[in-house]
mmCIF file of all heavy atoms in Angstrom:
data_model
loop_
_atom_site.group_PDB
_atom_site.id
_atom_site.type_symbol
_atom_site.label_atom_id
_atom_site.label_comp_id
_atom_site.label_asym_id
_atom_site.label_seq_id
_atom_site.Cartn_x
_atom_site.Cartn_y
_atom_site.Cartn_z
ATOM 1 N N VAL A 301 -74.001 -34.968 -23.920
ATOM 2 C CA VAL A 301 -73.775 -34.995 -22.514
ATOM 3 C C VAL A 301 -73.025 -36.195 -22.088
ATOM 4 O O VAL A 301 -73.274 -37.259 -22.587
ATOM 5 C CB VAL A 301 -75.117 -34.955 -21.772
ATOM 6 C CG1 VAL A 301 -74.901 -34.850 -20.254
ATOM 7 C CG2 VAL A 301 -76.081 -33.872 -22.226
ATOM 8 N N LEU A 302 -71.991 -36.006 -21.189
ATOM 9 C CA LEU A 302 -71.262 -37.062 -20.661
ATOM 10 C C LEU A 302 -71.158 -36.932 -19.138
ATOM 11 O O LEU A 302 -71.023 -35.844 -18.626
ATOM 12 C CB LEU A 302 -69.926 -37.163 -21.255
ATOM 13 C CG LEU A 302 -69.663 -37.780 -22.653
ATOM 14 C CD1 LEU A 302 -68.193 -37.692 -23.021
ATOM 15 C CD2 LEU A 302 -70.185 -39.226 -22.730
ATOM 16 N N PRO A 303 -71.205 -38.096 -18.384
ATOM 17 C CA PRO A 303 -70.999 -37.965 -16.967
ATOM 18 C C PRO A 303 -69.496 -38.033 -16.642
ATOM 19 O O PRO A 303 -68.692 -38.741 -17.278
ATOM 20 C CB PRO A 303 -71.735 -39.293 -16.456
ATOM 21 C CG PRO A 303 -71.594 -40.289 -17.557
ATOM 22 C CD PRO A 303 -71.633 -39.441 -18.910
ATOM 23 N N PHE A 304 -69.060 -37.252 -15.691
ATOM 24 C CA PHE A 304 -67.613 -37.227 -15.299
ATOM 25 C C PHE A 304 -67.499 -37.429 -13.840
ATOM 26 O O PHE A 304 -68.291 -36.995 -13.039
ATOM 27 C CB PHE A 304 -66.991 -35.877 -15.775
ATOM 28 C CG PHE A 304 -66.768 -35.735 -17.278
ATOM 29 C CD1 PHE A 304 -67.798 -35.324 -18.026
ATOM 30 C CD2 PHE A 304 -65.587 -36.093 -17.791
ATOM 31 C CE1 PHE A 304 -67.612 -35.141 -19.372
ATOM 32 C CE2 PHE A 304 -65.334 -35.891 -19.161
ATOM 33 C CZ PHE A 304 -66.367 -35.507 -19.940
ATOM 34 N N VAL A 305 -66.349 -38.004 -13.434
ATOM 35 C CA VAL A 305 -65.997 -38.131 -12.035
ATOM 36 C C VAL A 305 -64.786 -37.183 -11.775
ATOM 37 O O VAL A 305 -63.783 -37.237 -12.548
ATOM 38 C CB VAL A 305 -65.693 -39.519 -11.639
ATOM 39 C CG1 VAL A 305 -65.059 -39.611 -10.223
ATOM 40 C CG2 VAL A 305 -66.908 -40.440 -11.754
ATOM 41 N N LEU A 306 -64.856 -36.413 -10.779
ATOM 42 C CA LEU A 306 -63.717 -35.436 -10.483
ATOM 43 C C LEU A 306 -62.574 -36.292 -9.812
ATOM 44 O O LEU A 306 -62.727 -36.772 -8.686
ATOM 45 C CB LEU A 306 -64.162 -34.439 -9.497
ATOM 46 C CG LEU A 306 -63.125 -33.309 -9.161
ATOM 47 C CD1 LEU A 306 -62.764 -32.567 -10.427
ATOM 48 C CD2 LEU A 306 -63.726 -32.303 -8.194
ATOM 49 N N THR A 307 -61.510 -36.489 -10.560
ATOM 50 C CA THR A 307 -60.411 -37.318 -10.097
ATOM 51 C C THR A 307 -59.312 -36.425 -9.352
ATOM 52 O O THR A 307 -58.520 -36.970 -8.657
ATOM 53 C CB THR A 307 -59.738 -38.036 -11.230
ATOM 54 O OG1 THR A 307 -59.264 -37.087 -12.239
ATOM 55 C CG2 THR A 307 -60.730 -39.056 -11.865
ATOM 56 N N GLY A 308 -59.263 -35.138 -9.718
ATOM 57 C CA GLY A 308 -58.250 -34.246 -9.093
ATOM 58 C C GLY A 308 -58.541 -32.839 -9.201
ATOM 59 O O GLY A 308 -59.304 -32.393 -10.122
ATOM 60 N N ILE A 309 -58.002 -32.006 -8.318
ATOM 61 C CA ILE A 309 -58.174 -30.584 -8.329
ATOM 62 C C ILE A 309 -56.729 -30.069 -8.400
ATOM 63 O O ILE A 309 -55.895 -30.365 -7.551
ATOM 64 C CB ILE A 309 -58.883 -30.089 -7.064
ATOM 65 C CG1 ILE A 309 -60.340 -30.657 -7.147
ATOM 66 C CG2 ILE A 309 -58.922 -28.552 -7.083
ATOM 67 C CD1 ILE A 309 -61.149 -30.262 -5.883
ATOM 68 N N TYR A 310 -56.532 -29.138 -9.331
ATOM 69 C CA TYR A 310 -55.145 -28.500 -9.456
ATOM 70 C C TYR A 310 -55.213 -27.024 -9.060
ATOM 71 O O TYR A 310 -56.277 -26.411 -9.135
ATOM 72 C CB TYR A 310 -54.560 -28.714 -10.909
ATOM 73 C CG TYR A 310 -55.422 -27.949 -11.902
ATOM 74 C CD1 TYR A 310 -55.075 -26.546 -12.230
ATOM 75 C CD2 TYR A 310 -56.454 -28.566 -12.613
ATOM 76 C CE1 TYR A 310 -55.788 -25.943 -13.211
ATOM 77 C CE2 TYR A 310 -57.169 -27.807 -13.604
ATOM 78 C CZ TYR A 310 -56.815 -26.580 -13.843
ATOM 79 O OH TYR A 310 -57.475 -25.839 -14.797
ATOM 80 N N GLU A 311 -54.134 -26.479 -8.777
ATOM 81 C CA GLU A 311 -53.956 -25.068 -8.419
ATOM 82 C C GLU A 311 -52.646 -24.555 -8.964
ATOM 83 O O GLU A 311 -51.607 -25.028 -8.441
ATOM 84 C CB GLU A 311 -54.206 -24.810 -6.915
ATOM 85 C CG GLU A 311 -54.169 -23.325 -6.613
ATOM 86 C CD GLU A 311 -54.557 -23.054 -5.215
ATOM 87 O OE1 GLU A 311 -55.004 -23.989 -4.446
ATOM 88 O OE2 GLU A 311 -54.386 -21.943 -4.740
ATOM 89 N N THR A 312 -52.686 -23.624 -9.897
ATOM 90 C CA THR A 312 -51.407 -23.098 -10.448
ATOM 91 C C THR A 312 -51.041 -21.696 -9.874
ATOM 92 O O THR A 312 -49.942 -21.250 -10.047
ATOM 93 C CB THR A 312 -51.581 -22.907 -12.008
ATOM 94 O OG1 THR A 312 -52.577 -21.919 -12.301
ATOM 95 C CG2 THR A 312 -51.955 -24.211 -12.644
ATOM 96 N N GLY A 313 -51.992 -21.100 -9.208
ATOM 97 C CA GLY A 313 -51.784 -19.704 -8.782
ATOM 98 C C GLY A 313 -52.135 -18.663 -9.858
ATOM 99 O O GLY A 313 -52.042 -17.487 -9.589
ATOM 100 N N MET A 314 -52.460 -19.147 -11.033
ATOM 101 C CA MET A 314 -52.860 -18.268 -12.185
ATOM 102 C C MET A 314 -54.384 -18.312 -12.301
ATOM 103 O O MET A 314 -54.952 -19.390 -12.739
ATOM 104 C CB MET A 314 -52.197 -18.669 -13.419
ATOM 105 C CG MET A 314 -50.569 -18.554 -13.332
ATOM 106 S SD MET A 314 -49.792 -18.999 -14.906
ATOM 107 C CE MET A 314 -50.047 -20.764 -15.029
ATOM 108 N N SER A 315 -54.965 -17.282 -12.044
ATOM 109 C CA SER A 315 -56.424 -17.280 -11.967
ATOM 110 C C SER A 315 -57.045 -17.617 -13.254
ATOM 111 O O SER A 315 -58.104 -18.342 -13.306
ATOM 112 C CB SER A 315 -56.933 -15.909 -11.505
ATOM 113 O OG SER A 315 -58.345 -15.767 -11.576
ATOM 114 N N ASP A 316 -56.502 -17.171 -14.393
ATOM 115 C CA ASP A 316 -57.075 -17.518 -15.745
ATOM 116 C C ASP A 316 -57.231 -19.015 -15.977
ATOM 117 O O ASP A 316 -58.127 -19.448 -16.733
ATOM 118 C CB ASP A 316 -56.211 -16.860 -16.781
ATOM 119 C CG ASP A 316 -56.489 -15.401 -16.922
ATOM 120 O OD1 ASP A 316 -57.103 -14.861 -16.042
ATOM 121 O OD2 ASP A 316 -55.964 -14.779 -17.799
ATOM 122 N N TYR A 317 -56.363 -19.799 -15.454
ATOM 123 C CA TYR A 317 -56.377 -21.260 -15.567
ATOM 124 C C TYR A 317 -57.251 -21.935 -14.423
ATOM 125 O O TYR A 317 -58.072 -22.811 -14.792
ATOM 126 C CB TYR A 317 -54.984 -21.847 -15.579
ATOM 127 C CG TYR A 317 -54.161 -21.315 -16.685
ATOM 128 C CD1 TYR A 317 -52.953 -20.550 -16.499
ATOM 129 C CD2 TYR A 317 -54.529 -21.558 -18.014
ATOM 130 C CE1 TYR A 317 -52.164 -20.145 -17.500
ATOM 131 C CE2 TYR A 317 -53.750 -21.081 -19.109
ATOM 132 C CZ TYR A 317 -52.572 -20.318 -18.844
ATOM 133 O OH TYR A 317 -51.754 -19.888 -19.802
ATOM 134 N N ASP A 318 -56.963 -21.505 -13.229
ATOM 135 C CA ASP A 318 -57.754 -22.174 -12.129
ATOM 136 C C ASP A 318 -59.204 -21.850 -12.185
ATOM 137 O O ASP A 318 -60.049 -22.566 -11.610
ATOM 138 C CB ASP A 318 -57.189 -21.693 -10.765
ATOM 139 C CG ASP A 318 -55.719 -22.049 -10.626
ATOM 140 O OD1 ASP A 318 -55.217 -22.913 -11.420
ATOM 141 O OD2 ASP A 318 -55.090 -21.529 -9.718
ATOM 142 N N ASP A 319 -59.602 -20.846 -12.906
ATOM 143 C CA ASP A 319 -60.995 -20.347 -12.915
ATOM 144 C C ASP A 319 -61.866 -20.997 -13.962
ATOM 145 O O ASP A 319 -63.134 -21.148 -13.782
ATOM 146 C CB ASP A 319 -60.913 -18.848 -13.098
ATOM 147 C CG ASP A 319 -62.287 -18.182 -12.652
ATOM 148 O OD1 ASP A 319 -62.930 -18.735 -11.809
ATOM 149 O OD2 ASP A 319 -62.776 -17.169 -13.278
ATOM 150 N N ILE A 320 -61.249 -21.425 -15.072
ATOM 151 C CA ILE A 320 -62.082 -21.879 -16.224
ATOM 152 C C ILE A 320 -61.692 -23.216 -16.855
ATOM 153 O O ILE A 320 -62.524 -23.803 -17.551
ATOM 154 C CB ILE A 320 -62.109 -20.714 -17.355
ATOM 155 C CG1 ILE A 320 -60.734 -20.523 -17.937
ATOM 156 C CG2 ILE A 320 -62.717 -19.459 -16.778
ATOM 157 C CD1 ILE A 320 -60.644 -19.593 -19.144
ATOM 158 N N TYR A 321 -60.521 -23.639 -16.663
ATOM 159 C CA TYR A 321 -60.083 -24.810 -17.305
ATOM 160 C C TYR A 321 -60.491 -26.164 -16.639
ATOM 161 O O TYR A 321 -60.361 -26.210 -15.436
ATOM 162 C CB TYR A 321 -58.557 -24.830 -17.555
ATOM 163 C CG TYR A 321 -58.058 -24.120 -18.687
ATOM 164 C CD1 TYR A 321 -57.861 -22.792 -18.663
ATOM 165 C CD2 TYR A 321 -57.690 -24.864 -19.896
ATOM 166 C CE1 TYR A 321 -57.412 -22.088 -19.822
ATOM 167 C CE2 TYR A 321 -57.345 -24.253 -20.997
ATOM 168 C CZ TYR A 321 -57.134 -22.883 -20.985
ATOM 169 O OH TYR A 321 -56.724 -22.165 -22.083
ATOM 170 N N GLY A 322 -60.920 -27.140 -17.434
ATOM 171 C CA GLY A 322 -61.156 -28.519 -16.974
ATOM 172 C C GLY A 322 -60.357 -29.475 -17.954
ATOM 173 O O GLY A 322 -60.207 -29.147 -19.191
ATOM 174 N N TYR A 323 -59.879 -30.642 -17.403
ATOM 175 C CA TYR A 323 -59.118 -31.444 -18.156
ATOM 176 C C TYR A 323 -59.612 -32.892 -18.210
ATOM 177 O O TYR A 323 -60.116 -33.295 -17.109
ATOM 178 C CB TYR A 323 -57.617 -31.600 -17.714
ATOM 179 C CG TYR A 323 -56.860 -30.276 -18.061
ATOM 180 C CD1 TYR A 323 -56.929 -29.161 -17.263
ATOM 181 C CD2 TYR A 323 -56.063 -30.220 -19.251
ATOM 182 C CE1 TYR A 323 -56.221 -27.993 -17.579
ATOM 183 C CE2 TYR A 323 -55.450 -29.046 -19.587
ATOM 184 C CZ TYR A 323 -55.487 -27.933 -18.729
ATOM 185 O OH TYR A 323 -54.788 -26.777 -18.988
ATOM 186 N N THR A 324 -59.681 -33.500 -19.328
ATOM 187 C CA THR A 324 -60.091 -34.927 -19.436
ATOM 188 C C THR A 324 -59.280 -35.653 -20.527
ATOM 189 O O THR A 324 -58.330 -34.995 -21.025
ATOM 190 C CB THR A 324 -61.639 -34.982 -19.768
ATOM 191 O OG1 THR A 324 -62.018 -36.347 -19.760
ATOM 192 C CG2 THR A 324 -61.921 -34.417 -21.117
ATOM 193 N N ASN A 325 -59.572 -36.904 -20.852
ATOM 194 C CA ASN A 325 -58.777 -37.563 -21.820
ATOM 195 C C ASN A 325 -59.298 -37.109 -23.216
ATOM 196 O O ASN A 325 -60.415 -36.662 -23.379
ATOM 197 C CB ASN A 325 -58.796 -39.029 -21.697
ATOM 198 C CG ASN A 325 -60.162 -39.599 -21.708
ATOM 199 O OD1 ASN A 325 -60.962 -39.441 -22.664
ATOM 200 N ND2 ASN A 325 -60.561 -40.292 -20.646
ATOM 201 N N ILE A 326 -58.472 -37.311 -24.245
ATOM 202 C CA ILE A 326 -58.782 -36.819 -25.548
ATOM 203 C C ILE A 326 -60.002 -37.479 -26.160
ATOM 204 O O ILE A 326 -60.770 -36.857 -26.964
ATOM 205 C CB ILE A 326 -57.513 -36.860 -26.446
ATOM 206 C CG1 ILE A 326 -57.681 -36.036 -27.623
ATOM 207 C CG2 ILE A 326 -57.248 -38.329 -26.799
ATOM 208 C CD1 ILE A 326 -56.311 -35.837 -28.396
ATOM 209 N N SER A 327 -60.188 -38.727 -25.886
ATOM 210 C CA SER A 327 -61.276 -39.422 -26.503
ATOM 211 C C SER A 327 -62.595 -38.993 -25.970
ATOM 212 O O SER A 327 -63.667 -38.903 -26.779
ATOM 213 C CB SER A 327 -61.167 -41.011 -26.271
ATOM 214 O OG SER A 327 -61.089 -41.309 -24.898
ATOM 215 N N SER A 328 -62.795 -38.697 -24.629
ATOM 216 C CA SER A 328 -64.033 -38.186 -24.133
ATOM 217 C C SER A 328 -64.327 -36.839 -24.679
ATOM 218 O O SER A 328 -65.524 -36.516 -25.032
ATOM 219 C CB SER A 328 -63.905 -38.097 -22.591
ATOM 220 O OG SER A 328 -63.643 -39.389 -22.032
ATOM 221 N N ALA A 329 -63.326 -35.959 -24.801
ATOM 222 C CA ALA A 329 -63.516 -34.580 -25.414
ATOM 223 C C ALA A 329 -63.871 -34.677 -26.806
ATOM 224 O O ALA A 329 -64.858 -34.008 -27.206
ATOM 225 C CB ALA A 329 -62.307 -33.738 -25.190
ATOM 226 N N ALA A 330 -63.334 -35.587 -27.608
ATOM 227 C CA ALA A 330 -63.606 -35.797 -28.981
ATOM 228 C C ALA A 330 -65.036 -36.156 -29.129
ATOM 229 O O ALA A 330 -65.766 -35.673 -30.120
ATOM 230 C CB ALA A 330 -62.630 -36.762 -29.643
ATOM 231 N N TYR A 331 -65.562 -37.144 -28.404
ATOM 232 C CA TYR A 331 -66.971 -37.546 -28.528
ATOM 233 C C TYR A 331 -67.787 -36.333 -28.068
ATOM 234 O O TYR A 331 -68.828 -36.170 -28.733
ATOM 235 C CB TYR A 331 -67.175 -38.722 -27.555
ATOM 236 C CG TYR A 331 -68.723 -39.096 -27.403
ATOM 237 C CD1 TYR A 331 -69.292 -39.863 -28.407
ATOM 238 C CD2 TYR A 331 -69.411 -38.649 -26.354
ATOM 239 C CE1 TYR A 331 -70.640 -40.138 -28.348
ATOM 240 C CE2 TYR A 331 -70.754 -38.928 -26.289
ATOM 241 C CZ TYR A 331 -71.324 -39.672 -27.349
ATOM 242 O OH TYR A 331 -72.755 -39.977 -27.206
ATOM 243 N N LEU A 332 -67.571 -35.673 -27.009
ATOM 244 C CA LEU A 332 -68.417 -34.632 -26.524
ATOM 245 C C LEU A 332 -68.582 -33.490 -27.538
ATOM 246 O O LEU A 332 -69.663 -32.962 -27.638
ATOM 247 C CB LEU A 332 -67.856 -34.071 -25.253
ATOM 248 C CG LEU A 332 -68.708 -33.257 -24.323
ATOM 249 C CD1 LEU A 332 -69.964 -34.106 -23.797
ATOM 250 C CD2 LEU A 332 -67.972 -32.696 -23.186
ATOM 251 N N PHE A 333 -67.533 -33.270 -28.299
ATOM 252 C CA PHE A 333 -67.579 -32.153 -29.272
ATOM 253 C C PHE A 333 -67.717 -32.688 -30.720
ATOM 254 O O PHE A 333 -67.441 -31.878 -31.668
ATOM 255 C CB PHE A 333 -66.317 -31.278 -29.145
ATOM 256 C CG PHE A 333 -66.135 -30.723 -27.810
ATOM 257 C CD1 PHE A 333 -64.938 -30.901 -27.068
ATOM 258 C CD2 PHE A 333 -67.166 -29.934 -27.137
ATOM 259 C CE1 PHE A 333 -64.815 -30.373 -25.749
ATOM 260 C CE2 PHE A 333 -67.009 -29.497 -25.894
ATOM 261 C CZ PHE A 333 -65.842 -29.625 -25.214
ATOM 262 N N ASN A 334 -68.211 -33.854 -30.864
ATOM 263 C CA ASN A 334 -68.545 -34.503 -32.119
ATOM 264 C C ASN A 334 -67.455 -34.403 -33.145
ATOM 265 O O ASN A 334 -67.697 -34.049 -34.293
ATOM 266 C CB ASN A 334 -69.752 -33.793 -32.612
ATOM 267 C CG ASN A 334 -70.512 -34.548 -33.601
ATOM 268 O OD1 ASN A 334 -70.422 -35.748 -33.667
ATOM 269 N ND2 ASN A 334 -71.345 -33.876 -34.437
ATOM 270 N N LEU A 335 -66.210 -34.758 -32.784
ATOM 271 C CA LEU A 335 -65.136 -34.797 -33.774
ATOM 272 C C LEU A 335 -64.904 -36.268 -34.238
ATOM 273 O O LEU A 335 -65.292 -37.270 -33.527
ATOM 274 C CB LEU A 335 -63.830 -34.411 -33.061
ATOM 275 C CG LEU A 335 -63.723 -32.986 -32.590
ATOM 276 C CD1 LEU A 335 -62.348 -32.711 -32.004
ATOM 277 C CD2 LEU A 335 -64.077 -32.006 -33.737
ATOM 278 N N ARG A 336 -64.547 -36.377 -35.554
ATOM 279 C CA ARG A 336 -64.337 -37.640 -36.070
ATOM 280 C C ARG A 336 -63.036 -38.315 -35.533
ATOM 281 O O ARG A 336 -62.217 -37.617 -34.983
ATOM 282 C CB ARG A 336 -64.234 -37.558 -37.652
ATOM 283 C CG ARG A 336 -65.632 -37.240 -38.254
ATOM 284 C CD ARG A 336 -65.482 -37.384 -39.814
ATOM 285 N NE ARG A 336 -64.676 -36.343 -40.372
ATOM 286 C CZ ARG A 336 -65.052 -35.158 -40.749
ATOM 287 N NH1 ARG A 336 -66.345 -34.872 -40.685
ATOM 288 N NH2 ARG A 336 -64.208 -34.363 -41.338
ATOM 289 N N ALA A 337 -62.930 -39.626 -35.819
ATOM 290 C CA ALA A 337 -61.787 -40.383 -35.301
ATOM 291 C C ALA A 337 -60.383 -39.770 -35.787
ATOM 292 O O ALA A 337 -60.325 -39.470 -37.014
ATOM 293 C CB ALA A 337 -61.763 -41.828 -35.635
ATOM 294 N N GLY A 338 -59.499 -39.491 -34.921
ATOM 295 C CA GLY A 338 -58.238 -38.951 -35.349
ATOM 296 C C GLY A 338 -58.168 -37.364 -35.422
ATOM 297 O O GLY A 338 -57.072 -36.798 -35.593
ATOM 298 N N GLU A 339 -59.316 -36.714 -35.321
ATOM 299 C CA GLU A 339 -59.332 -35.280 -35.381
ATOM 300 C C GLU A 339 -59.013 -34.659 -34.049
ATOM 301 O O GLU A 339 -59.426 -35.162 -32.991
ATOM 302 C CB GLU A 339 -60.709 -34.869 -35.824
ATOM 303 C CG GLU A 339 -60.972 -34.994 -37.306
ATOM 304 C CD GLU A 339 -62.250 -34.312 -37.758
ATOM 305 O OE1 GLU A 339 -63.192 -34.178 -36.856
ATOM 306 O OE2 GLU A 339 -62.404 -33.903 -39.001
#
Side-chain angles (χ1 to χ4, degrees):
V301 185
L302 281 179
F304 287 84
V305 173
L306 186 60
T307 58
I309 297 174
Y310 67 86
E311 184 171 349
T312 66
M314 298 184 290
S315 177
D316 284 8
Y317 297 117
D318 298 344
D319 198 31
I320 61 172
Y321 272 83
Y323 287 85
T324 186
N325 59 57
I326 196 167
S327 58
S328 299
Y331 172 81
L332 196 62
F333 301 126
N334 200 23
L335 295 183
R336 290 190 291 268
E339 284 188 335

